[in-house]
Amino acid sequence: MSEYRIKGATGEWEVVIGLEVHAQVTSNAKLFSGAATEFGAEPNTQVSLIDAAMPGMLPVPNRECIRQAVRTGMAIDAQINKWSRFDRKNYFYADLPQGYQISQLYHPLVGEGAIEIEVENEIKTIGVERIHVEQDAGKLMHDQHPRLSYVDLNRSGVALMEIVSKPDMRSPAEAGAYLSKLRSILRYVGSCDGNMDQGSMRADVNVSVRKPGEPFGTRTETKNVNSVRFVMQTVEIEALRQIDVLESGGKIVQETRLFDPDKGETRSMRSKEDAHDYRYFPDPDLLPLELDDAFLDECRASLPELPDAKRARYLGLGITPYNAAVLTAEVESARYFDALLEAGAKGPAAANWVTSELFGALNRLGKDIEHSPVSPAQAAELLGLVAEGTLSNTLAKQVFEIMLETGDDPARIVEERGLKQTSDTGAIEAEIAKVLEANADKVAEYRSGKDKLFGFFVGQTMKAMAGKANPGVVNDLLKKALDG
C-alpha cells in the first residue's frame, strides 16, 4: 500500500487518525426507559419521566440494547466483558435534563477487537479499543424562534454504542474504508440502521500530524461528522490546517472542532476536556451488568453470516472479487443475491446480471433493491431461460424491460409475446440465403480474404430474424454457406 504523505514547506508529514463512532442501537425503547425511539416523531412526544429527569425516577437497563452491543462486539471478534459498570459523566447543558449522561468509562461492556479494511487491493487491520453503551442527549433547535432556543427531548435517553478505534489509520481513504466497513457490519448484525443522514450513526474524527517516525502529535477532535465522504474531507482539511500551523511556528491546541461542509473548513468549538473534567463516578442507581454464559451463547448464535465470510463464499462460487465486493457491501444486496442463488441461479452469471442489469435498472428507476419490481425468483427464472437457450442475451434484455414495467413472470412474457429464440435451421438457412443474395458483392469480398465481413453477415441475419435466432446456430450455418 503506497504511504499517504502530505508535502509541506518543511518536508513530508504523516497523518494519524482515530474515529469514535456513535451508533444508535436498534431497539423499540430507550436504554433506561420504555419511551419509543422512532425517528421523525413530533418533538417531545417520546419522553418518559426518566428521560425528563423527574425526581425519584430510577433507570432500568433495556436488555435488548445490551444484547445488540454484545452482538456487535462479537461481530468484530472483540473481548466481551462479563462484568461492566455504568458511570455518570457530569456536565450541564440545556439538552441534558439530568445534568449528567449515563455512560461507561472505567469498565466498558466490550473490550478490544479489530476490523479488516481493504484499500488499494491491500488488507489492513484497524484495532478497536472498546465499545461502551451510553444514553444520547436531547436536541437543541435554534431556528424555531428569533430569540429563544427550543429543546426536543425525543432523543434523550436513546441507546448509543460508542465504538472507539485505535489511532491506526493513516489516510483519508483508510478512514473512509473503516467507517464504511463498520457501517456494513452494524447493518448485517442489525444493531444499528446506519442512517448517517438521520444522525443514527455519526463519527468524531481525531486527527494529528507528525513527521514520519516521530511520536504522535497533539490531536483535535472534529465532532458529529455524518457521512463517509465528510469524514474523508475532515481528515484532509484538518491535517492541512495543522501542518500550516506547525510550519508557521504555532502549536496545535487539543480542542473540539466542527466541520463545515459548505465552507470546506473545520472551526474551533471549545478546548478539549479530559476525563477528569467530567467528574465521572459509578452510577449509584444502577447495579453492575453481569452477563452469564447462556446470554452470551444466545447472542453468538443469533449472528448472521458477516460481510467477509459472505464475500469468501461468493469467491468460492467463481464470482469475481469486484462483484463479490459490490454484492456484500450492503446487506440488502447480499440478501437479494442469496435469494437468487437459492432459487437456482448460477453464481457468476447471476452476479454479472445483478451488478450490471439489475443495479443499472434500479438506479434508472430511483428504487433500492428492497423495492425491486423483479423478485429473486423471477430473476432466477429469467437467467434460467438464457442458460437453457430459450432466450438470447438480447432477448433477455427485452424481457427484463417488460418485467420491470409489468411485474410479469418471464416465461409468461416469452409465451405471450413470442420472444423465444429459434434454433430452427430451416428458417435460419432461408434468411441466410436472402442475406447472401442481397449482398453478393460483400460475399465476393469475404471469399477473397476479407474475414472481418463475417460479423456483418451475422448482424444482417440476426436483424432479419428480429433478434430471435440462436447466435451459435447462425454462426455455424453462415460459415457453411460462405465457405461452401
Side-chain angles (χ1 to χ4, degrees), residues 33 55 66 114 122 136 184 203 208 212 233-234 242 259 292 304 324 353 390:
S33 83
I66 305 305
E122 289 191 31
D136 205 349
S184 179
S208 66
Q233 285 179 8
T234 297
Q242 291 185 19
F259 172 63
D292 60 27
W353 182 83
T390 303

Side-chain angles (χ1 to χ4, degrees), residues 85-253:
R85 192 183 71 196
F86 286 105
D87 303 297
R88 286 188 183 179
K89 176 182 181 180
N90 294 275
Y91 67 96
F92 296 92
Y93 208 62
D95 60 7
L96 193 73
Q98 292 161 311
Y100 58 84
Q101 178 188 34
I102 303 176
S103 182
Q104 294 184 312
L105 175 67
Y106 301 110
H107 300 281
L109 185 61
V110 179
E112 292 193 5
I115 292 175
E116 274 192 358
I117 62 168
E118 186 174 330
V119 177
E120 295 175 11
N121 296 319
E122 289 191 31
I123 304 292
K124 180 173 179 179
T125 301
I126 307 299
V128 172
E129 187 79 43
R130 58 192 274 145
I131 302 176
H132 64 257
V133 184
E134 62 185 23
Q135 54 179 177
D136 205 349
K139 181 182 178 184
L140 284 175
M141 295 184 287
H142 305 293
D143 56 357
Q144 309 289 308
H145 190 278
R147 293 186 312 281
L148 304 174
S149 288
Y150 287 9
V151 185
D152 178 8
L153 294 181
N154 279 352
R155 212 168 63 186
S156 176
V158 165
L160 298 177
M161 293 178 285
E162 183 167 338
I163 304 161
V164 183
S165 85
K166 294 187 176 180
D168 289 348
M169 290 160 271
R170 295 289 179 272
S171 71
E174 287 184 13
Y178 169 84
L179 189 57
S180 297
K181 184 65 172 287
L182 175 58
R183 179 178 178 273
S184 179
I185 291 168
L186 293 174
R187 296 184 75 240
Y188 269 74
V189 170
S191 58
C192 174
D193 62 24
N195 292 338
M196 298 188 78
D197 55 333
Q198 294 180 358
S200 58
M201 183 174 166
R202 48 198 194 266
D204 296 344
V205 186
N206 290 283
V207 176
S208 66
V209 296
R210 64 178 177 182
K211 289 292 177 72
E214 289 190 356
F216 287 160
T218 303
R219 66 183 168 85
T220 61
E221 181 182 26
T222 304
K223 301 287 282 187
N224 294 330
V225 184
N226 67 351
S227 82
V228 173
R229 184 164 59 91
F230 288 166
V231 164
M232 293 170 72
Q233 285 179 8
T234 297
V235 170
E236 196 168 351
I237 289 163
E238 182 56 18
L240 288 169
R241 184 193 72 82
Q242 291 185 19
I243 290 166
D244 282 347
V245 169
L246 292 168
E247 289 191 330
S248 59
K251 277 188 171 183
I252 300 302
V253 180

Side-chain angles (χ1 to χ4, degrees), residues 322-395:
Y322 172 80
N323 279 349
V326 170
L327 290 167
T328 54
E330 294 289 345
V331 67
E332 291 85 4
S333 303
R335 282 184 191 136
Y336 186 98
F337 187 67
D338 279 341
L340 187 51
L341 293 177
E342 282 170 27
K346 297 288 181 282
N352 287 335
W353 182 83
V354 170
T355 55
S356 56
E357 301 296 329
L358 181 63
F359 283 175
L362 293 174
N363 194 34
R364 197 172 70 237
L365 296 169
K367 290 180 181 287
D368 56 45
I369 201 162
E370 286 181 296
H371 301 101
S372 167
V374 175
S375 71
Q378 289 175 316
E381 189 181 312
L382 178 66
L383 291 166
L385 291 171
V386 174
E388 71 189 24
T390 303
L391 290 177
S392 65
N393 285 328
T394 307
L395 285 172

Side-chain angles (χ1 to χ4, degrees), residues 24 34 72 78 109 148 181 186 325 341 412 439 443 454 469 477:
Q24 182 176 320
T72 303
L109 185 61
L148 304 174
K181 184 65 172 287
L186 293 174
L341 293 177
R412 182 178 171 187
N439 297 280
V443 172
F454 187 76
L477 294 177

